[in-house]
C-alpha cells in the first residue's frame, strides 16, 4: 500500500507501456492535419474560374476565327489533356516533371538537386520545381525567394490535396505563359504556329514545352535562334531519357523554327462578335464556317473592292444547301477600316433589295395559276393608279415572256403581275416563307415593293433563295451546329424548279460570266441581281447545286454610289465566289417535279398550240406549265380600251365589220386574236395587220371596239433627215404634239421614255446622237403613232 504523498520508484523499462511514442506520433500527425486544415481555411486556393478568361470563336474544324481577350487583355483558348497532342504531353512531362504522376506535389530529390546546384554554382541552375509547383506560381504569383519557395511548396501540396493530376495538368495547359498576352498552349500554338495544339510535330511540341521557362527571351517570333537552342535542349533530354528515339530526335532537329508574327486571329470578325454577344457566357463557340473558304473569300473580296470607289464595302454569305450551314460570312470588306464603316454587319443590316424579290413574285404567280414561264406580258409605259414605273435603263421592249421579263429584270411587267397577285398577299406569303420585309412606320404594302420599296437583310434573302435548291422550302442560314433549322415553305416544288431553270439560263455580259453553252460550274448558277433606288445597294444572289451565295456591295452609311449596280458591280464577284467553291461530285439539283411539263403555247392568246387555230397563233413559245394550268393572256386594265383576247366578229362578204344592229350580204362570223393594246407599237407589220379590226361596213353605227381613236404625231414628217445648226454645240431639239389624243400620252425615243403630256400639249425632245431614231406617242388606252427620223452627223 502506498500512502498519499509518498514517492514510488519508476517501473523498470521492461514494464513501461510501449504505446506512448506511437501515440505521440499520431497526436503530432493529427495536429499537423488540423494545422493544415486551418491554414487551408485561412489561406484558400484562388483557382481561376472555370468559365473565366477569354472567348474563342472557332471554325467548324477548330480553327480560331476570332478571340476575345479577358478583362486583363489575355488571349487564352480552352485546352485540356484530351485536346492537345500526346507528343506535347510527352515533351512537357519528360522535360519538366517525369515523376508528375508519382509525387505528392513536391519532389524532394529535385529540390535537393536544385539547392546543391545553387550552392555549387552560386546561382540557380535547376529550380527543382515540379509541374504542380509551377501551377501554384502561375495561379498565385509568388516571389522568387527562399520564403517564396516555401509558400510555393505549400501551395503545391494544397493543389494536390484538392485537385486530381488531370485537373492540375489542365490548369497548366490553359494558363502557362507563352509571351506577350498569350496564355495556354492552344493559344500559343495558333499564335506562333498557326495550327491547333493537337497537330503539333515533335519539334513544335518541344518548342512549346520549353517556352514558358522564359517566354520573353525564347519567343520564336523575336528570338528564333534562342528558341531553337532551347528546343534542341529539350529534344536531347527526351532522347537521353529514352522517351523518343535518336532517329525521331534527329529528324525533329532538322525542322526549322518558323513562327508567325504574334497576332490574334481576325476572320469572320462580325459573325464572331455576333455569336459572342448572343452567348456571352460561352468560352468556346464553334461555328459552321469553313476556315479555308472564309480566308479565300476575304482575300477575294478585298482584292475585288480595290477597283471600286473609296468607302465602298461588301458583304458575302455562302450557305450549304444540304445542311443550311453558313460556310462563308463576311459582314464587311475590312473590319478595321473606319472609312468603310467596317464595324457595321451588312449581313444583318436592313437594306432595299432592289429587284431581288422578283423571282418569288413570279413563283407565287405560277402557284396561283396566273402565268406560265412564257405568258405574254407587256413592257410599255403603264399607269397603275398614279404609279408609273420605268425600267432601269429607261427603255421599253413591248411584248415579252415571263422568263425574259425575269431574266432582264423588267420593272413594268413585274409591277403588272404584283398588281394581280396583290401587294398585301405577296408580303404575307413572303413572311410565311421566312422573308420579312421592313416597311416605313404606318406604311402599307404597295406596288413599289417589287422594285425595292421595302427593306430586307442579306441573310434573310439568302435563306429565301435556298428554296430554289430545296423544292420550294426556304431555310434560314445556320451559324452554329446547335442552331436548329428553321424551314418554311415559300413556293411549291414545281414553281421553285421553273424559276430556278429560268434563272439558270440567264445570260450575263459581265466580267467573269460563263460563256453561253459552256460546261462548267457557272452553267448551273441560277442568279438574280438587284439595284436599289439611287444606286445605294448592288445585289447578286446565286444558287448552285450545292451552295446559295449572296453578295451585297455599297456604302454602309447609305450614300449613293452612282454607276454601281448589281449587274456590273455585284454579279462579277458572285461568279468569282462561285468559281472558288468546292464541288462534291455529280450535280444534286432536284429532279423535275411531276407537276411541271413543257407545253407549246400561242401568243397573243396564251393557250396551248395544239388547241389553237393556226390562224390565231401568231407566235408560239415553249413554256414550262405548272399543274397543267394554261391561263390566258392578262386582260386590259382600262375598261375603256378593247380587251386583248379572242374577239368574234360578224363581217359581210367583203370582210367589213358589222355592228350589233347592222347586217350585210354574205354575213358570217370570224375570229381575231388581239394583242394587248399597249404592245401594238412594238409588233411587226404582219402581226398588227393580222389582229387589226376590219373597217365598219358602210352605214353601220360605231361600236365599242372603236373607242380608241387614232392619234397622229405633229411636228415632224416620217422619214425626215435632220441636221444640227452649223457651229452649234447644243443637241438637236424637236417640238412635237399628239393630235387627237385625250388624257395622258407617253413619249418614247428608241423605246426609252422621255416624258408625258396631257391631251394635245407639246413636248420637246432632244436628239443627241446621230443616226436613225424612232419616236412613239402612246396613249393610256392603247392608241399610238410612230415615226422614224434620221439625225446627220457633224
Amino acid at each position: 500500500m502506498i500512502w498519499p504523498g509518498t514517492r514510488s520508484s519508476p517501473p523498470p523499462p521492461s514494464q513501461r507501456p510501449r504505446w506512448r511514442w506511437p501515440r505521440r506520433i499520431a497526436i503530432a500527425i493529427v495536429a499537423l492535419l488540423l494545422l493544415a486544415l486551418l491554414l487551408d481555411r485561412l489561406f484558400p486556393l484562388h483557382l481561376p474560374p472555370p468559365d473565366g478568361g477569354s472567348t474563342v470563336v472557332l471554325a467548324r474544324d477548330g480553327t480560331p476565327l476570332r478571340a476575345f481577350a479577358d478583362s486583363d487583355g489575355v488571349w487564352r483558348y480552352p485546352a485540356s489533356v484530351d485536346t492537345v497532342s500526346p507528343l506535347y504531353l510527352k515533351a512537357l512531362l519528360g522535360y519538366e516533371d517525369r515523376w508528375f504522376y508519382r509525387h505528392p506535389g513536391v519532389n524532394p530529390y529535385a529540390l535537393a538537386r536544385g539547392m546543391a546546384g545553387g550552392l555549387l554554382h552560386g546561382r540557380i541552375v535547376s529550380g527543382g520545381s515540379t509541374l504542380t509547383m509551377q501551377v501554384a506560381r502561375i495561379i498565385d504569383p509568388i516571389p522568387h525567394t527562399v520564403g517564396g519557395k516555401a509558400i510555393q511548396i505549400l501551395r503545391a501540396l494544397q493543389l494536390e490535396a484538392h485537385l486530381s493530376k488531370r485537373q492540375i495538368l489542365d490548369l497548366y495547359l490553359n494558363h502557362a505563359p507563352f509571351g506577350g498576352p498569350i496564355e495556354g498552349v492552344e493559344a500559343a500554338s495558333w499564335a506562333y504556329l498557326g495550327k491547333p495544339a493537337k497537330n503539333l510535330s515533335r519539334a513544335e511540341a518541344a518548342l512549346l514545352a520549353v517556352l514558358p521557362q522564359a517566354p520573353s527571351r525564347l519567343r520564336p517570333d523575336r528570338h528564333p535562334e534562342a528558341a531553337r537552342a532551347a528546343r534542341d535542349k529539350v529534344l536531347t533530354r527526351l532522347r537521353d531519357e529514352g522517351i523518343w528515339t535518336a532517329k525521331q530526335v534527329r529528324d525533329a532537329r532538322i525542322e526549322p523554327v518558323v513562327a508567325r508574327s504574334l497576332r490574334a486571329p481576325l476572320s469572320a470578325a462580325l459573325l464572331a462578335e455576333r455569336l459572342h454577344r448572343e452567348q456571352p457566357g460561352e468560352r468556346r463557340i464553334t461555328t459552321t464556317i469553313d476556315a479555308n473558304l472564309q480566308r479565300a473569300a476575304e482575300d477575294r473580296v478585298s482584292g475585288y473592292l480595290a477597283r471600286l470607289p473609296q468607302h465602298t464595302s461588301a458583304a458575302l454569305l455562302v450557305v450549304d444547301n444540304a445542311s443550311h450551314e453558313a460556310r462563308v460570312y463576311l459582314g464587311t470588306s475590312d473590319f478595321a477600316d473606319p472609312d468603310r464603316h467596317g464595324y457595321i454587319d451588312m449581313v444583318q443590316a436592313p437594306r432595299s433589295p432592289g429587284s431581288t424579290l422578283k423571282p418569288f413574285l413570279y413563283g407565287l404567280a405560277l402557284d396561283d395559276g396566273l402565268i406560265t414561264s412564257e405568258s405574254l406580258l407587256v413592257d410599255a409605259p403603264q399607269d397603275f393608279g398614279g404609279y408609273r414605273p420605268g425600267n432601269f435603263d429607261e427603255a421599253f421592249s413591248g411584248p415579252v415572256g415571263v422568263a425574259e421579263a425575269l431574266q432582264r429584270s423588267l420593272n413594268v411587267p413585274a409591277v403588272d403581275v404584283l398588281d394581280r397577285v396583290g401587294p398585301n398577299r405577296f408580303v404575307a406569303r413572303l413572311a410565311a416563307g421566312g422573308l420579312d420585309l421592313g416597311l416605313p412606320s404606318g406604311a402599307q404594302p404597295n406596288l413599289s415593293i417589287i422594285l425595292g420599296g421595302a427593306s430586307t437583310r442579306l441573310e434573310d434573302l439568302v435563306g429565301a433563295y435556298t428554296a430554289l435548291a430545296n423544292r420550294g422550302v426556304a431555310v434560314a442560314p445556320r451559324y452554329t451546329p446547335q442552331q436548329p433549322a428553321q424551314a418554311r415553305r415559300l413556293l411549291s416544288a414545281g414553281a421553285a424548279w421553273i424559276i430556278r431553270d429560268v434563272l439558270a439560263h440567264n445570260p450575263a455580259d459581265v466580267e467573269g460570266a460563263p460563256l453561253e453553252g459552256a460546261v462548267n460550274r457557272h452553267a448551273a448558277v441560277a442568279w438574280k441581281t438587284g439595284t436599289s433606288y439611287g444606286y445605294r445597294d448592288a445585289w447578286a444572289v446565286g444558287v448552285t447545286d450545292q451552295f446559295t451565295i449572296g453578295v451585297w456591295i455599297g456604302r454602309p452609311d447609305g450614300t449613293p454610289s452612282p454607276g454601281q449596280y448589281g449587274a456590273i458591280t455585284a454579279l462579277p464577284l458572285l461568279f468569282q465566289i462561285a468559281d472558288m467553291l468546292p464541288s462534291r461530285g455529280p450535280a444534286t439539283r432536284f429532279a423535275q417535279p411531276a407537276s411541271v411539263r413543257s407545253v407549246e403555247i400561242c401568243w397573243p392568246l396564251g393557250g396551248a398550240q395544239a388547241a389553237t387555230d393556226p390562224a390565231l397563233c401568231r407566235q408560239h413559245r415553249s413554256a414550262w406549265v405548272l399543274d397543267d394550268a394554261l391561263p390566258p393572256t392578262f386582260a386590259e386594265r382600262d375598261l375603256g380600251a378593247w380587251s386583248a383576247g379572242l374577239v368574234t366578229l360578224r363581217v359581210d362578204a367583203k370582210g367589213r365589220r358589222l355592228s350589233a344592229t347592222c347586217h350585210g350580204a354574205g354575213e358570217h362570223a370570224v375570229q381575231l386574236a388581239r394583242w394587248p393594246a399597249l404592245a401594238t407599237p412594238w409588233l411587226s407589220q404582219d402581226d398588227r395587220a393580222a389582229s387589226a379590226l376590219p373597217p365598219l361596213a358602210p352605214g353601220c353605227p360605231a361600236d365599242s371596239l372603236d373607242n380608241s381613236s387614232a392619234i397622229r404625231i405633229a411636228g415632224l414628217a416620217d422619214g425626215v433627215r435632220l441636221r444640227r445648226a452649223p457651229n452649234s454645240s447644243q443637241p438637236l431639239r424637236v417640238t412635237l404634239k399628239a393630235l387627237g389624243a385625250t388624257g395622258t400620252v407617253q413619249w418614247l425615243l428608241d423605246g426609252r421614255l422621255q416624258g408625258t403630256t396631257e391631251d394635245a400639249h407639246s413636248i420637246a425632245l432632244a436628239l443627241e446622237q446621230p443616226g436613225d431614231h424612232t419616236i412613239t406617242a402612246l396613249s393610256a388606252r392603247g392608241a399610238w403613232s410612230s415615226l422614224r427620223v434620221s439625225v446627220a452627223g457633224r
Side-chain angles (χ1 to χ4, degrees), residues 522-597:
H522 279 155
V525 178
W527 59 268
K528 182 71 183 73
T529 61
T531 307
S532 67
Y533 178 76
Y535 300 97
R536 288 172 169 81
D537 307 276
W539 301 84
V541 188
V543 180
T544 71
D545 294 328
Q546 297 167 11
F547 299 99
T548 299
I549 311 157
V551 174
W552 171 89
I553 296 178
R555 294 186 58 167
D557 61 3
T559 53
S561 299
Q564 302 299 320
Y565 54 92
I568 69 164
T569 305
L571 187 58
L573 180 59
L574 172 72
F575 287 140
Q576 290 186 25
I577 298 299
D579 194 47
M580 61 173 264
L581 294 175
S583 175
R584 290 196 296 263
T588 56
R589 180 185 179 191
F590 69 88
Q592 178 178 332
S595 59
V596 176
R597 67 187 183 97

Side-chain angles (χ1 to χ4, degrees), residues 468-539:
L468 302 184
N470 195 34
R471 302 185 64 82
V473 177
V475 185
R478 300 170 58 219
Y479 303 124
T480 65
Q482 298 78 26
Q483 185 176 346
Q486 300 178 14
R488 300 178 183 178
R489 178 160 295 283
L490 182 57
L491 302 171
S492 70
W497 190 93
I498 291 172
I499 294 301
R500 181 176 173 186
D501 182 79
V502 169
L503 295 179
H505 293 87
N506 198 355
D509 185 18
V510 299
E511 178 185 350
L515 297 175
E516 185 177 356
V519 182
N520 57 18
R521 285 196 296 274
H522 279 155
V525 178
W527 59 268
K528 182 71 183 73
T529 61
T531 307
S532 67
Y533 178 76
Y535 300 97
R536 288 172 169 81
D537 307 276
W539 301 84

Side-chain angles (χ1 to χ4, degrees), residues 273-293:
E273 185 174 292
R274 173 180 179 176
L275 295 177
H276 180 44
R277 184 172 57 252
E278 293 173 354
Q279 307 174 51
E282 293 292 330
R283 294 293 168 255
R284 189 182 184 96
I285 302 174
T286 301
T287 71
T288 62
I289 297 299
D290 185 302
N292 292 329
L293 283 181

Side-chain angles (χ1 to χ4, degrees), residues 378 399 642 674-684 688 691 778 782 784:
V378 180
W642 49 261
R674 303 298 303 273
W675 293 81
L678 294 177
T680 310
W682 285 269
L683 297 178
S684 68
R688 285 201 297 268
S691 64
L778 178 64
W784 66 283

Side-chain angles (χ1 to χ4, degrees), residues 194-218:
K195 64 195 305 186
K198 66 180 179 181
N199 293 338
L200 295 174
S201 66
R202 284 185 170 82
E204 293 166 339
L207 174 64
L208 295 186
V210 74
L211 186 53
Q213 282 194 352
S216 297
R217 182 171 55 86
L218 299 179

